[in-house]
Structures are given as structure tokens and as C-alpha cells.
Amino acid sequence: MTGVAGLAEAGLTVTWSAQARVRTVFHDVGALVLFLRMVPWQVPGFDAARYGHRLRALHERMASGRPLTAYTHRFALLARRSIGGEGAEGR
């Protein structure tokens, strides 16, 4: 049970939803590492030491003027529980 259909199955009505494709540009590895520490769901188990070799290579790339551009899909919604609709007979 996932998404809007899952909410409906749980007795909720979605009253508003929006989504966007968001672009983030990192110009230095420190900003990337800070970001990944703040949002652990982006790279589960992220550890700078574990990714040290890749981060150093990325640092060299960024130092030559090529930033890292990442895209994510974001969504938000509001839902409410239906009152007096289906299932109200048993009250």
C-alpha cells in the first residue's frame, strides 16, 4: 500500500498535492558532504571516510571548474480523514 491509492485505502482523502524536479549544484566537496550528513536518506550509510577515494576524485573535478549537478524528485500532499463517509454506519 503506497502512494495516493494507499492513502485512500487507509480512509484518507488527498486534498492537495504537488511535485517538482529539483536541481542542486555542488561547487565543493565540503558542501556535498554536509548535505549528505543532513539528509541521510539520499545515501543510506554515507560515511565520508568510506567514500574518501571517490570524494577526492570529485574534489579534483570540482577544482577544475566542473560542479556536481544532482536532480531529485520531491512531492508534498495534504490528506484528511473522511468523517461520516463509508464506515460511519458502525458508530
Side-chain angles (χ1 to χ4, degrees), residues 46-78:
F46 174 78
D47 176 61
R50 186 171 142 214
Y51 289 94
H53 181 32
R54 290 181 180 177
L55 290 170
R56 279 187 287 284
L58 185 57
H59 170 74
E60 293 300 321
R61 176 186 155 184
M62 290 176 168
S64 71
R66 297 182 346 206
L68 172 68
T69 302
Y71 293 89
T72 57
H73 177 243
R74 299 283 189 233
F75 70 92
L77 58 84
L78 291 174

Side-chain angles (χ1 to χ4, degrees), residues 2 6 9 28 30 32 34 42 50 54 65 72 78-79 89:
T2 61
E9 289 177 27
D28 66 80
L32 175 63
L34 177 62
Q42 291 290 355
R50 186 171 142 214
R54 290 181 180 177
T72 57
L78 291 174
E89 303 84 22

Side-chain angles (χ1 to χ4, degrees), residues 7-8 10-14 79-88 91:
L7 294 173
L12 299 170
T13 302
V14 174
R80 64 177 172 77
R81 182 171 45 153
S82 299
I83 298 174
E86 288 185 27
R91 287 189 228 162

